[in-house]
Amino acid sequence: MKKSKWADLPMEILRRIMEKLFWSERLPSCLVCKTWHECFLEIQNEEQFLPWVMTMEHGGICNLGDPAKQASQIVEGATHDLLGYACASRYGWVLFLNDLDDYDNDLTIDYEQYILYSPFTNEVIKFPKLIEDYTSKATFSHSPGSPNCMVIVFSAENRKISIKTCQPGDKSWKIFEIKGDKVGQVACVGDFVYCIYSDDDWKLGAFNIKQQELLQVSSGILPMNTDPSQYSLLVAFNEDILLQSLSSDKTRSQYWRLDLSEDKWVVVEDEIMKKHVIFEGCTSFTVPAVRDARQSAGMVYSFNNCSSLSDFSCLPFDADLTLRGPEVRHHRWLNGDYKWLEEDYKPREKIWIQPPFQRIWR
């Protein structure tokens, strides 16, 4: 009689078993054999579009929340090096910025250090220290497993904008300078990092990671409905760059898309936004309102880690922002996809994180 192997387990039975497991139990199973690994990827890629929630507490306590399970779980063995705040989140990794003190001839020098951390694998990648700069905006280009992975930092001082780049393993940062006096939001798509910056006029630039140069994307004027430094950049699911600002009457959020053929910003129609779910945080993005995200169509989930009073909100994208009091609070935990955060609520930093095995990143 032929001896059965675990690899011979029917795919349908294996799938049903894996679907019952939490991520920390499911992840090791993908290492058993090729068949199990394919089943692991198949489950995630077909069903999940909603991002997970990563929370950090003082003392290095890290939690990961899975919207499919509507529950959080402590990440065992999480690093204690993450004392700063999150700058960007992509590919299952988070870029943190830590403030450090050093001494030179009895003088205290303020440094900052960027750290990439994956709560799914507990990997930590540290980058060389920099002199602290309070104007910095930072992101990273690719997963650290890619040879094109790079951390990019924008900062402004003395009528100059500095662009600093560093790859894992580098001993120092490369520094480029252009004319400018202010830096706004940044967002990364493919081999380009987009940045809103000011050089007398506000512009959208794109830093080419491979060629190491900043290109001006649009000669058109940015929509001036509000202070341009308050604009947000979002990465749409189709890799469009979206600009979020207030509408002209300042009652609701407005979304703009850059039409490259005509070199101008055009308003994104409400009917299009209603087919997506918007997530705002250290990295802002949209996902299509399909599969597990279907019931969240047209919603905006936002983490505001600068405020301990309302650090999580859930509103329709076209909500009247002039509302006050009970009306706003009514919307705070409106949707069931993340309602479990209310039960797990603590005033700690929260980060949207899309697992590396989610369909959006493949």
Side-chain angles (χ1 to χ4, degrees), residues 7-25:
D8 298 329
L9 195 65
M11 184 65 75
E12 182 60 30
I13 296 177
L14 179 60
R15 183 187 179 92
R16 291 195 177 190
I17 294 173
M18 283 196 177
E19 286 176 340
K20 301 293 183 182
L21 302 177
F22 196 75
W23 74 271
S24 59
E25 301 165 320

Side-chain angles (χ1 to χ4, degrees), residues 11 14 18 27 29-43 357 362:
M11 184 65 75
L14 179 60
M18 283 196 177
L27 192 59
S29 68
C30 73
L31 303 177
V32 173
C33 62
K34 183 178 179 180
T35 302
W36 286 36
H37 182 73
E38 290 174 351
C39 182
F40 171 82
L41 294 177
E42 182 183 342
I43 293 173
F357 44 77
R362 291 185 63 77

Side-chain angles (χ1 to χ4, degrees), residues 57-223:
E57 297 181 60
H58 293 297
I61 300 176
C62 175
N63 294 269
L64 272 179
D66 181 354
K69 299 293 183 182
Q70 303 240 327
S72 297
Q73 189 173 67
I74 293 178
V75 178
E76 299 293 341
T79 179
H80 290 258
D81 292 324
L82 309 178
L83 305 176
Y85 63 91
C87 303
S89 172
R90 310 181 74 211
Y91 304 108
W93 290 77
V94 180
L95 179 66
F96 283 91
L97 173 60
N98 285 359
D99 294 328
L100 305 172
D101 291 332
D102 206 348
Y103 299 91
D104 185 11
N105 296 326
D106 296 327
L107 295 176
T108 302
I109 303 176
D110 294 328
Y111 288 99
E112 59 188 22
Q113 184 177 41
Y114 288 92
I115 297 176
L116 278 172
Y117 172 64
S118 171
F120 298 96
T121 61
N122 268 333
E123 293 176 87
V124 176
I125 300 174
K126 295 183 179 182
F127 292 83
K129 293 186 291 186
L130 290 168
I131 299 294
E132 191 170 48
D133 189 328
Y134 296 101
T135 67
S136 296
K137 303 289 184 180
T139 188
F140 61 104
S141 59
H142 296 82
S143 167
S146 166
N148 297 319
C149 176
M150 180 181 293
V151 173
I152 306 96
V153 181
F154 292 80
S155 60
E157 186 178 10
N158 299 326
R159 294 288 298 172
K160 289 183 180 179
I161 293 176
S162 295
I163 305 172
K164 307 177 183 72
T165 66
C166 192
Q167 292 189 270
D170 286 352
K171 301 298 183 183
S172 61
W173 292 77
K174 294 179 181 178
I175 302 177
F176 309 85
E177 290 186 340
I178 62 171
K179 183 182 176 183
D181 55 7
K182 292 181 181 178
V183 174
Q185 294 294 313
V186 299
C188 190
V189 177
D191 292 325
F192 290 89
V193 179
Y194 294 88
C195 175
I196 297 174
Y197 72 99
S198 171
D199 175 16
D200 296 328
D201 296 318
W202 284 94
K203 306 171 183 177
L204 178 69
F207 182 75
N208 187 312
I209 296 167
K210 291 184 176 180
Q211 297 180 7
Q212 301 278 282
E213 64 177 339
L214 185 71
L215 309 173
Q216 186 176 323
V217 175
S218 172
S219 59
I221 299 174
L222 293 180

Side-chain angles (χ1 to χ4, degrees), residues 236-250:
F237 184 73
N238 64 357
E239 296 195 339
D240 271 349
I241 285 291
L242 301 182
L243 189 70
Q244 185 265 338
S245 70
L246 290 177
S247 58
S248 56
D249 59 6
K250 295 182 170 53

